[in-house]
Amino acid sequence: MSALSLRLPDSIHRHIKEFAQKEGVSINQFIATAVAEKISALATEDYLQARAQRADSAAFAAVLAKVADRQPLVGDEL
């Protein structure tokens, strides 16, 4: 594990302290978890963009063509 020196505005530090106390964790654990969540979100975005680039529009259209043509359920209308 490595150490990181981090400068934060006082207002952000205050919020982190409050939320960490609410969650019953240390400030260090709260920040580590928040960073891990952000990394996960960014990695997921990269993964989905890579998958979208490999998409086959013709294959997608072929699958959609198999869907029955009927009225949407109430609340599902465009």
Side-chain angles (χ1 to χ4, degrees):
M1 190 173 293
S2 42
L4 175 68
S5 178
L6 179 64
R7 295 186 189 280
L8 296 171
D10 292 338
S11 60
I12 292 176
H13 185 261
R14 187 174 53 255
H15 286 295
I16 291 170
K17 185 176 180 180
E18 290 171 6
F19 281 113
Q21 286 175 344
K22 279 185 187 178
E23 294 293 315
V25 298
S26 68
I27 290 175
N28 188 67
Q29 185 175 356
F30 183 85
I31 292 172
T33 301
V35 170
E37 288 176 6
K38 182 64 175 185
I39 289 171
S40 176
L42 292 172
T44 299
E45 185 179 341
D46 288 346
Y47 170 77
L48 293 174
Q49 285 178 351
R51 287 291 306 256
Q53 289 176 355
R54 295 193 325 253
D56 182 344
S57 299
F60 181 65
V63 170
L64 286 181
K66 296 178 184 178
V67 176
D69 187 19
R70 61 180 182 197
Q71 293 296 318
L73 298 174
V74 175
D76 283 348
E77 305 91 351
L78 290 178

